[in-house]
Amino acid sequence: MDDIRQLKDIQLDALREVANIGAGHAATALSQMIGGRIMISVPRITVTALEDVPRQLADPEEPIAAVLMHMLGDLTGRTLLVFPKPTAKRLAELMLRRPINLENDLNELEQSAVKECGNILSAAYMNALSEFMGMMLLPSPPSLAVDMSSAVITSAYLQFTAEPNYVVCVESEFLMDDTSERLRGLFLLLPDPASLQAILRAVRVA
């Protein structure tokens, strides 16, 4: 098995369990930051063509906020945490614990809050994968892009030397306990070729 498209349901279930563990850790950390209970579930995990990702989240011409982090250490590659722009603004409100102007672009402080949210969630997913693999995995500082979804995904695609036709896509749903509000985002795992092979070997025996 040398192609991510060959993953079977039982192997996707193994990755889903890893993502669930990461989501639990992230929910705890975010709850502490926002001062209220937040739960994060992983309703779905799929192998998706990178160019199809915009349609999973929003219209390709709709603006999104994407937090990009590099994976360093024994596993290398990139992760992308993607939210519709209104969701990113709502998360910024929760992180800052105050209302923000939803009509304006994110200011520097609000961008920082979204990056920190992305940092917490992506790092939690990466730590869970690191423990599952028994390998060291270090996240880089996060960077934020706010643009049309097609432009953000194209930019991420062009950063690869080898063609990353397919990525692991983890649908993440945030549930605010006090308001029953639900917010949705996508976590994309884009491993480099050697790291992809290591992950495929690990889930093959899972």
Side-chain angles (χ1 to χ4, degrees):
M1 183 175 67
D2 58 1
D3 191 317
I4 198 168
R5 288 169 291 176
Q6 296 175 12
L7 286 175
K8 297 179 173 62
D9 286 343
I10 190 170
Q11 291 150 349
L12 286 172
D13 283 344
L15 287 177
R16 188 172 186 272
E17 186 54 36
V18 172
N20 274 322
I21 292 168
H25 293 320
T28 300
L30 285 174
S31 294
Q32 292 171 347
M33 291 200 72
I34 70 172
R37 189 160 179 245
I38 181 172
M39 293 181 288
I40 305 171
S41 66
V42 179
R44 214 159 51 120
I45 182 166
T46 55
V47 175
T48 303
L50 192 57
E51 60 267 26
D52 289 340
V53 169
R55 288 187 289 275
Q56 284 196 310
L57 192 67
D59 185 281
E61 298 310 310
E62 287 290 319
I64 61 169
V67 180
L68 174 70
M69 295 172 66
H70 293 263
M71 294 191 297
L72 310 169
D74 295 331
L75 294 175
T76 57
R78 294 165 186 81
T79 66
L80 205 60
L81 185 65
V82 185
F83 300 111
K85 193 174 179 181
T87 298
K89 289 183 173 182
R90 180 66 180 124
L91 288 170
E93 281 190 327
L94 292 166
M95 295 287 285
L96 295 171
R97 302 195 195 188
R98 61 167 175 78
I100 66 173
N101 189 328
L102 299 179
E103 299 301 318
N104 294 345
D105 289 334
L106 292 164
N107 64 30
E108 191 173 341
L109 183 62
E110 292 156 2
Q111 288 184 27
S112 179
V114 173
K115 281 197 287 188
E116 183 55 25
C117 179
N119 183 44
I120 290 169
L121 187 61
S122 297
Y125 281 156
M126 280 191 260
N127 286 340
L129 181 62
S130 175
E131 291 174 12
F132 174 74
M133 300 285 296
M135 294 181 173
M136 184 179 70
L137 204 166
L138 302 171
S140 74
S143 60
L144 177 68
V146 180
D147 203 339
M148 301 300 107
S149 60
S150 54
V152 171
I153 299 303
T154 299
S155 175
Y157 186 92
L158 291 175
Q159 290 188 48
F160 281 80
T161 51
E163 288 201 5
N165 292 324
Y166 290 85
V167 298
V168 177
C169 180
V170 179
E171 186 177 327
S172 303
E173 192 172 72
F174 298 70
L175 174 63
M176 314 305 140
D177 199 34
D178 53 346
T179 62
S180 298
E181 181 180 5
R182 292 178 183 271
L183 302 172
R184 181 170 163 261
L186 298 178
F187 174 79
L188 306 179
L189 178 65
L190 301 88
D192 289 334
S195 294
L196 171 59
Q197 295 309 311
I199 294 169
L200 291 175
R201 286 194 297 271
V203 297
R204 184 171 56 187
V205 300

